[in-house]
């Protein structure tokens, strides 16, 4: 269920239940419902971006309507909210991506999400929820699948954990050495 906020561009996405016939969310209940993942808030800017990505991907999937879109957004937000807003990486400013494209021909990201991707081609942590928004899957799963002779230039900003950085280096090394 989608409920628009009259005070700003945010929307509330609420898991619809049989007793959710009211069209407004009591603001006093939002914080409580967000804690148990029944309600998510999404800015209008992010929702518009997700709609564009979803529509582009939908053409490849052959189908889906607005109800499917909002269900997919709800699933996506639930997955990322489960991280409790603690991503283990810093976002890269769009000016940096513009310069990477101009100077090095970068056309994709190895570690992104539908919420923060800059390029149309991106890999993400959760293919099960992100692929409907155009994710190419997990970069970690590309070892043995990617043909380096196909070329390409990608930006890599892995999670800032020892495992994330070492795994990204190992997969990258494996792909490069197969070329």
């Amino acid at each position: 269920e989608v409920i628009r906020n009259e005070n700003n561009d945010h929307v509330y996405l609420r898991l619809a239940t049989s007793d959710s016939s009211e069209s407004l969310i009591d603001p006093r209940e939002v914080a409580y419902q967000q804690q148990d993942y029944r309600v998510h808030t999404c800015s209008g800017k992010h929702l518009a971006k997700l709609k564009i990505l979803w529509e582009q991907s939908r053409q490849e999937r052959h189908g889906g309507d607005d109800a499917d879109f909002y269900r997919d957004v709800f699933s996506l937000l639930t997955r990322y909210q489960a991280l409790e807003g603690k991503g283990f990486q810093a976002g890269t400013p769009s000016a940096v991506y513009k310069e990477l494209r101009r100077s090095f021909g970068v056309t994709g990201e190895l570690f992104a999400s539908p919420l923060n991707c800059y390029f149309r081609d991106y890999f993400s942590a959760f293919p099960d929820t992100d692929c409907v928004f155009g994710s190419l899957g997990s970069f970690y799963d590309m070892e043995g699948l990617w043909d380096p002779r196909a070329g390409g230039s990608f930006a890599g900003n892995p999670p800032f954990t020892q495992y994330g950085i070492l795994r990204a280096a190992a997969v990258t090394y494996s792909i490069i050495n197969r070329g």
Side-chain angles (χ1 to χ4, degrees), residues 68-159:
D68 292 326
F69 167 69
Y70 289 116
R71 277 192 294 274
D72 290 342
V73 170
F74 190 87
S75 295
L76 172 87
L77 294 176
T78 300
R79 172 59 66 81
Y80 282 93
Q81 186 174 342
L83 297 174
E84 296 181 354
K86 297 180 178 110
F88 293 102
Q89 68 190 113
T92 304
S94 59
V96 172
Y97 283 126
K98 287 178 186 174
E99 186 59 29
L100 287 172
R101 179 186 299 180
R102 189 186 71 73
S103 297
F104 301 105
V106 170
T107 59
E109 297 165 80
L110 302 179
F111 302 93
S113 81
L115 296 164
N116 73 0
C117 66
Y118 179 82
F119 296 106
R120 172 73 173 100
D121 292 335
Y122 68 96
F123 294 91
S124 65
F126 307 116
D128 60 325
T129 56
D130 299 352
C131 283
V132 296
F133 298 99
S135 169
L136 299 173
S138 170
F139 171 69
Y140 296 136
D141 295 336
M142 293 310 298
E143 190 172 12
L145 298 175
W146 190 272
D147 183 356
R149 293 170 295 194
S153 185
F154 295 87
N157 183 20

Side-chain angles (χ1 to χ4, degrees), residues 152-171:
S153 185
F154 295 87
N157 183 20
F160 298 156
T161 64
Q162 183 176 6
Y163 174 80
I165 292 170
L166 291 176
R167 181 85 191 273
V171 171

